[in-house]
Structures are given as structure tokens and as C-alpha cells.
Amino acid sequence: MGRKRKEVLAERKALEDYYYSCKLETPEEVAKLFEVYTKLIWVYHQAGLVYDYYCDETVIRHEGGGKMTGGVDVTEIHTIPAFAPFPQNDSHFLDIFCVGSPEEGYRFGQMTANEGVYSSKGATLAGRGDDSVFHREDKVNFCQCCVQKVEGRWVIKDEWLGYGEEVTRRQRANSQPFYETVLGDLQAKDVCTETEGGAEE
């Protein structure tokens, strides 16, 4: 059985307390902030926080050449669609470092690993998951960000992501088509047909 409710709420509150009080005055604070930020979004599913640091000027470059621009892209293309298939995702920080200053801005890099379940109750463009378990050693994610002030607000201006897309592709290759999991075997279902005298009994 999972963690108890009080334990989960206490951890979330501790993360939120740091998140909302951090002033980004030192590289160490920035590193801690973005570790907390990542957990609040990916473990506690607070997708709206994306808009705090991802702005219209944000450019994210993906492994394989993809690109997202602005907070809306990051939220609607990258973040929210990942919640349904991976509702039990846990994000572990392997390393994070940061350099810079309040005057010049910051650059930080991080390595994370996720573990959880590819849920059969969630949905992706590939279909429904197969309830397979993935472990933190299965895939390591890399991320590097430039954090600068824009009109007096700290934002992520540039980000580079390496999320193990080939591992994800192989995982989703086991997805089940929606019609098989939602509607069942269509050919085996009894279908009510119309006759000249009305509906069949």
C-alpha cells in the first residue's frame, strides 16, 4: 500500500513552503528551488506551476530535434499529457548543480530518474498502458536551463532536454488500442438490429 495521506500532505507542504519563500539569491537556493519545483509538478501533479517559470520567451529543445516555445506549449504538450499514463510517477534527483548570480542570471543542470507504473487506466496517443512497472535505473533524464530576469521576473529562457525517447518509445510499444480496452471485442458484441416490424426483442 502507498504512503499515508498525512505523510504525503506534510511532504507537499514542506516543498510548497520552500518554493514560495525562495528568493533565488544564491546558486544553492536556485538548485534547491528547481528540485522542489520538479517534484511539485511531476510527483504532486501541480501543472499550473509551469506558468511560474515558463514564459512566452521560453524555448525548449528536445532530444531528437523537437522544440517547444512558451509556457502553454510546455504545459499542454509536455506536462499535462504525461499525468494520465503515469499517475504513480516518482521523480528522483541523481544530481543538480547551479552557477551564476542574481545580477547575471543562473545556469543549472540536473539528472533525474523516474519510477512508477505505465497505467492501463491512463491514456496516451499510443493507446492505454499495460500496467508495466518501470524502475529508476531504466532511464536517466538530463536537463539544462538558463534562468534570467525578464521584466523583473525570474523565468527559464532556454532549456535543453534529454528524456530517453527511445526507452519511452519501446515502453509505449506495448500500449493497447482504445477500442480493445474501452469497448472490448467489437465482433463478439451482440448488436441490436432493426426489422420491418421495429426493434428486435
Side-chain angles (χ1 to χ4, degrees):
M1 192 164 169
R3 295 185 300 159
K4 294 185 178 179
R5 179 175 179 273
K6 287 185 178 179
E7 180 186 345
V8 171
L9 293 177
E11 181 180 84
R12 188 185 72 185
K13 185 179 186 307
L15 294 172
E16 290 173 337
D17 287 346
Y18 184 87
Y19 180 75
Y20 288 111
S21 63
C22 182
K23 304 297 184 187
L24 289 86
E25 293 176 342
T26 68
E28 292 76 20
E29 286 182 348
V30 173
K32 178 66 175 176
L33 173 75
F34 280 97
E35 181 176 348
V36 166
Y37 188 49
T38 301
K39 284 185 173 292
L40 285 174
I41 292 172
W42 292 106
V43 178
Y44 290 97
H45 297 167
Q46 297 189 28
L49 295 181
V50 171
Y51 291 104
D52 288 354
Y53 287 98
Y54 291 86
C55 63
D56 293 342
E57 292 81 10
T58 300
V59 177
I60 299 182
R61 297 164 181 85
H62 269 263
E63 168 188 351
K67 186 168 78 171
M68 293 180 289
T69 304
V72 173
D73 264 12
V74 180
T75 307
E76 297 183 1
I77 296 174
H78 179 63
T79 306
I80 292 176
F83 290 166
F86 305 111
Q88 300 177 48
N89 181 59
D90 198 2
S91 183
H92 301 277
F93 270 76
L94 306 178
D95 194 15
I96 183 168
F97 65 91
C98 181
V99 296
S101 67
E103 295 75 28
E104 298 177 355
Y106 300 97
R107 180 182 294 268
F108 74 87
Q110 66 186 39
M111 294 171 55
T112 60
N114 296 338
E115 64 179 343
V117 176
Y118 182 30
S119 175
S120 62
K121 299 176 180 64
T124 73
L125 291 175
R128 289 179 176 263
D130 59 354
D131 284 334
S132 57
V133 176
F134 56 95
H135 305 280
R136 68 177 76 181
E137 63 268 19
D138 293 341
K139 182 175 71 172
V140 176
N141 306 315
F142 300 90
C143 169
Q144 180 173 320
C145 293
C146 295
V147 184
Q148 297 176 337
K149 272 196 174 179
V150 175
E151 298 179 355
R153 172 188 163 204
W154 285 110
V155 298
I156 295 172
K157 283 293 297 294
D158 294 282
E159 182 172 351
W160 292 265
L161 290 177
Y163 264 32
E165 299 299 335
E166 175 58 21
V167 175
T168 302
R169 186 198 67 75
R170 281 189 268 117
Q171 181 182 46
R172 294 191 175 181
N174 295 322
S175 303
Q176 300 298 311
F178 291 114
Y179 73 85
E180 291 182 5
T181 55
V182 178
L183 302 178
D185 186 348
L186 295 180
Q187 294 182 351
K189 284 192 176 296
D190 293 326
V191 179
C192 180
T193 59
E194 294 288 325
T195 66
E196 290 184 4
E200 284 188 343
E201 293 296 323

